[in-house]
Amino acid sequence: PSAPSKSRSSKSLSASAWYITTFVPQHGHINSLKLRVSKEEHLHGADDYQASLNGKSYTVSITGLEAGTLYYYCYIADFGAMTDWHSEVYTLTTASELPIVQTLEVLMIDSLMARVKGAVSYEGGATVTERGVCWNDYGDPTTDDNRLVHAESGLGEYTCKLTDLEPFTKYYVRAYAKNTCGTSYGAVQDLITGEEVNLPTVVTVGTNDVSVT
């Protein structure tokens, strides 16, 4: 017997990197239907997903896909009397997501200087083009407030040094990271600055005469 004609609809859901597709056979009885999915064009190392029957159509939910990634897939139908039928190979590209960034540490170096460590653990399927630290003195800082951009982008840990802070001030600090989807933030941590220290000025008057002011 010949393979059935069919209609097909699908949608890509970016928020959780999963995919739903619907297959409607026009004639012929299908015992079962599954979807074969792979990152390889020839479907090497593919995963199979079993379809469920909803009235006259079959629905397949694919979970655990990587964001911002091209996949290849085909339908495989079991008609009982004939060899399993394979559809043509289709493609889908999952949407990118926001990156994941953490605020690892906020440490005072001296009374008006702090070191902040952040880490980008996931790029969301799109390259992180900017990462750094933002801060303010009233809470929930964003990149619209004070911002220090780290020299390097992408995955991994990084450290920023905050200088010229105001004395006796409570600051709210967090790491951030940007990709094409937008900006993500780490948890807010706070720091409190101390008194400004004025170091003495040393003036050399002569080889054996030094005054300190």
Side-chain angles (χ1 to χ4, degrees):
S2 59
S5 59
K6 77 282 184 188
S7 64
R8 182 180 66 93
S9 64
S10 58
K11 60 180 177 176
S12 180
L13 305 175
S14 62
S16 56
W18 60 283
Y19 187 82
I20 285 183
T21 183
T22 302
F23 181 96
V24 183
Q26 301 303 308
H27 60 81
H29 175 73
I30 297 178
N31 291 331
S32 66
L33 180 75
K34 60 186 176 183
L35 206 65
R36 180 158 291 172
V37 184
S38 174
K39 294 181 185 178
E40 302 293 331
E41 185 174 1
H42 299 292
L43 300 179
H44 294 151
D47 293 317
D48 289 343
Y49 296 85
Q50 194 67 40
S52 59
L53 182 61
N54 269 325
K56 295 183 179 181
S57 65
Y58 289 83
T59 301
V60 187
S61 296
I62 312 169
T63 60
L65 301 180
E66 296 178 17
T69 303
L70 173 65
Y71 287 91
Y72 300 87
Y73 70 96
C74 74
Y75 298 92
I76 302 175
D78 173 17
F79 294 99
M82 66 177 288
T83 304
D84 285 354
W85 170 81
H86 293 64
S87 74
E88 62 183 285
V89 176
Y90 302 98
T91 61
L92 70 93
T93 300
T94 54
S96 300
E97 301 174 327
L98 287 171
I100 296 176
V101 61
Q102 297 171 285
T103 309
L104 297 180
E105 181 183 59
V106 176
L107 181 66
M108 294 300 300
I109 301 174
D110 63 25
S111 59
L112 300 180
M113 187 181 301
R115 183 174 65 235
V116 182
K117 182 181 290 187
V120 178
S121 58
Y122 173 65
E123 290 191 285
T127 301
V128 168
T129 55
E130 181 180 313
R131 62 185 188 178
V133 173
C134 56
W135 70 98
N136 62 29
D137 59 3
Y138 51 85
D140 292 329
T142 71
T143 53
D144 293 330
D145 297 309
N146 302 297
R147 174 174 59 168
L148 181 60
V149 180
H150 192 266
E152 299 177 356
S153 58
L155 287 167
E157 295 186 4
Y158 61 94
T159 301
C160 295
K161 186 166 70 173
L162 309 186
T163 60
D164 299 324
L165 300 173
E166 293 295 323
F168 299 115
T169 303
K170 184 175 183 178
Y171 288 100
Y172 300 88
V173 186
R174 59 180 169 180
Y176 77 89
K178 289 185 176 184
N179 67 8
T180 54
C181 290
T183 305
S184 289
Y185 296 94
V188 176
Q189 298 191 29
D190 60 64
L191 64 88
I192 301 176
T193 58
E195 181 181 6
E196 184 174 8
V197 178
N198 294 313
L199 296 175
T201 302
V202 178
V203 179
T204 303
V205 177
T207 56
N208 297 312
D209 188 2
V210 176
S211 63
V212 179
T213 61

